[in-house]
Amino acid sequence: MNWSNWLRQVHRWLSIAFTLAVILNILAMRQSEPAIWVGMLALVPLILLLATGLYLFAVPHVARWRTARAAWVDGGQ
């Protein structure tokens, strides 16, 4: 499995973890005195989702830029 496919799979599992953390947060808010750490629980997968999502978003754009640059350099010689 190459790097991009592995990261895509991690991104999918992080989305499941984030969804579960949000559900846990909603359930904890129903308590009279919810613990603060439960509210922060969803931030860990959310930050990782942001990082992996930005990378996966940039991959096709960077590949297109590299292909265009290589074609321009090869055509210029």
Side-chain angles (χ1 to χ4, degrees), residues 1-74:
M1 186 184 298
N2 66 15
W3 176 256
S4 187
N5 287 341
W6 179 82
L7 196 62
R8 196 173 303 273
Q9 194 69 17
V10 167
H11 187 77
R12 288 180 185 138
W13 281 105
L14 282 171
S15 68
I16 293 171
F18 175 69
T19 303
L20 292 175
V22 168
I23 291 170
L24 183 65
N25 193 358
I26 291 170
L27 293 175
M29 289 299 182
R30 300 178 81 206
Q31 302 294 326
S32 60
E33 189 69 32
I36 191 70
W37 65 269
V38 177
M40 300 297 172
L41 188 63
L43 289 180
V44 175
L46 182 62
I47 292 168
L48 294 172
L49 272 171
L50 175 67
T52 57
L54 287 173
Y55 174 80
L56 290 172
F57 177 77
V59 165
H61 299 289
V62 171
R64 193 173 343 148
W65 177 76
R66 284 184 179 171
T67 303
R69 182 174 164 87
W72 182 77
V73 169
D74 288 341

